[in-house]
Amino acid sequence: MIIYKTNEEVEQMRQSALLVSKTLSEVAKLLKPGITTLSLDKMIGEFVKDHNAVPSFLNYRGYPYNSCLSVNDVVVHGIPNNNPLKEGDIVSIDIGVILNGWHGDHAYTFAIGEPADDVKQLIRVTKESLYKGIEKAMAGNRVGDISFAIQEHTEKKHGYGVVRELVGHGLGRNLHEDPQVPNFGKRGNGPKMKEGLVLAIEPMINLGKKDVYTENDGWTVRTKDGKPSVHFEHDVCVRKYKADILSDYSIIEAAEKANVNLFSNHT
Ligand code: MF3
Ligand code: CO
């Protein structure tokens, strides 16, 4: 069952999404070789609680941490640990919050220093594909139009692997609502979208093949071929002529740039 949100509810959800964006931009400032994903997860939990919200992933189906930090060949649901990040690593940081009863859930993939050129391109193309999907999130279109746009740009145009096992989703008072939003599919297929539908659109794109497996910890999803994977996620509200993007990458990108400049001044 699809639950449509009123304008007032959408404004509350924007606050939830923006709190995730702010948290991601704070984390961006801390990223450098040597930092552990566990220390980042602690900071994320504290920042969210300091802003009158609850980290929604904690205890979700027994998940034991505040956030998912997925390094290199980890696609999503990476469990924070004590391994230091290294120069050239990439890390997807996925954060969920509940603020005033409404979920925010979005993610961004960061580079630590300079990854290889093919990995940098994967990051750029995956982010582009997210926006190409969002362009289709308007009233009268179908969910498959979003899926098709993402798959076209990543798989067809660039030959990347589109993960099949995990999908985007509706968002609201629950973390996962209808409809599912696959990152692959046919134009004109799936449920028709109306104004007030809030979606978390989240391409998970592999440099190599599409195949993934889940580790014995029950969470960590990795690529089978061991090649890197990138994940970006925005929260958007379907509107008449174009989607309203509730989360905000501009503050994350600004923090990311400032951090990179800081590095180069010191080397
Ligand atoms: N953002 C993810 C999703 O949309 C992560 C949720 S898994 C959790 O499904 F267990 F960590 F919460
Ligand atoms: Co999500």
Side-chain angles (χ1 to χ4, degrees):
M1 182 196 56
I2 291 181
I3 303 166
Y4 294 91
K5 277 78 187 179
T6 65
N7 292 344
E8 258 169 61
E9 290 172 337
V10 172
E11 288 319 308
Q12 294 202 350
M13 290 195 70
R14 190 189 309 281
Q15 296 311 311
S16 307
L18 285 178
L19 177 56
V20 177
S21 309
K22 280 181 207 148
T23 312
L24 284 167
S25 68
E26 287 302 308
V27 179
K29 296 176 192 164
L30 304 175
L31 288 176
K32 59 176 183 199
I35 196 153
T36 68
T37 52
L38 195 58
S39 71
L40 296 171
D41 180 79
K42 283 215 177 76
M43 179 262 140
I44 289 165
E46 281 162 20
F47 190 86
V48 169
K49 282 181 233 157
D50 282 350
H51 290 78
N52 305 315
V54 176
S56 60
F57 297 173
L58 184 63
N59 301 324
Y60 179 82
R61 298 183 179 214
Y63 187 74
Y65 288 95
N66 301 303
S67 59
C68 299
L69 291 110
S70 305
V71 178
N72 297 336
D73 63 317
V74 178
V75 179
V76 285
H77 302 168
I79 297 180
N81 61 40
N82 274 315
N83 304 333
L85 293 172
K86 309 180 302 295
E87 164 73 32
D89 282 347
I90 58 170
V91 55
S92 143
I93 306 185
D94 190 351
I95 301 174
V97 304
I98 307 170
L99 177 65
N100 301 317
W102 295 99
H103 282 263
D105 167 29
H106 84 103
Y108 195 94
T109 296
F110 297 92
I112 308 300
E114 289 267 312
D117 284 345
D118 56 352
V119 179
K120 277 200 260 185
Q121 174 170 289
L122 176 68
I123 293 176
R124 178 176 57 77
V125 170
T126 303
K127 196 197 270 187
E128 284 168 4
S129 80
L130 171 57
Y131 286 100
K132 286 182 184 290
I134 291 171
E135 271 177 36
K136 304 294 175 193
M138 56 186 212
N141 278 357
R142 289 179 184 271
V143 171
D145 298 330
I146 300 173
S147 310
F148 179 83
I150 294 171
Q151 186 178 18
E152 276 285 300
H153 191 60
T154 53
E155 196 173 274
K156 195 128 184 253
K157 189 146 175 240
H158 290 276
Y160 296 144
V162 175
V163 174
R164 302 297 201 268
E165 289 84 348
L166 298 138
V167 298
H169 49 94
L171 187 72
R173 291 208 178 269
N174 293 297
L175 176 58
H176 297 127
E177 297 185 357
D178 286 340
Q180 294 197 346
V181 185
N183 299 303
F184 56 95
K186 287 200 174 76
R187 248 187 305 220
N189 271 13
K192 197 179 252 190
M193 295 177 282
K194 293 196 296 198
E195 278 196 80
L197 172 61
V198 176
L199 298 173
I201 304 179
E202 47 180 322
M204 289 153 262
I205 309 296
N206 302 343
L207 183 59
K209 298 219 163 70
K210 66 179 186 311
D211 309 270
V212 301
Y213 69 97
T214 304
E215 271 185 32
N216 289 334
D217 61 21
W219 287 104
T220 313
V221 178
R222 280 186 199 269
T223 59
K224 275 197 185 159
D225 61 15
K227 292 187 181 171
S229 183
V230 167
H231 174 219
F232 282 96
E233 181 175 19
H234 257 317
D235 301 338
V236 311
C237 180
V238 172
R239 292 299 185 198
K240 211 167 201 161
Y241 301 112
K242 68 176 187 135
D244 181 1
I245 305 178
L246 306 180
S247 37
D248 180 9
Y249 276 177
S250 71
I251 57 174
I252 301 167
E253 284 161 351
E256 192 181 32
K257 275 210 191 88
N259 197 347
V260 169
N261 293 335
L262 202 66
F263 271 135
S264 44
N265 289 339
H266 286 268
T267 50

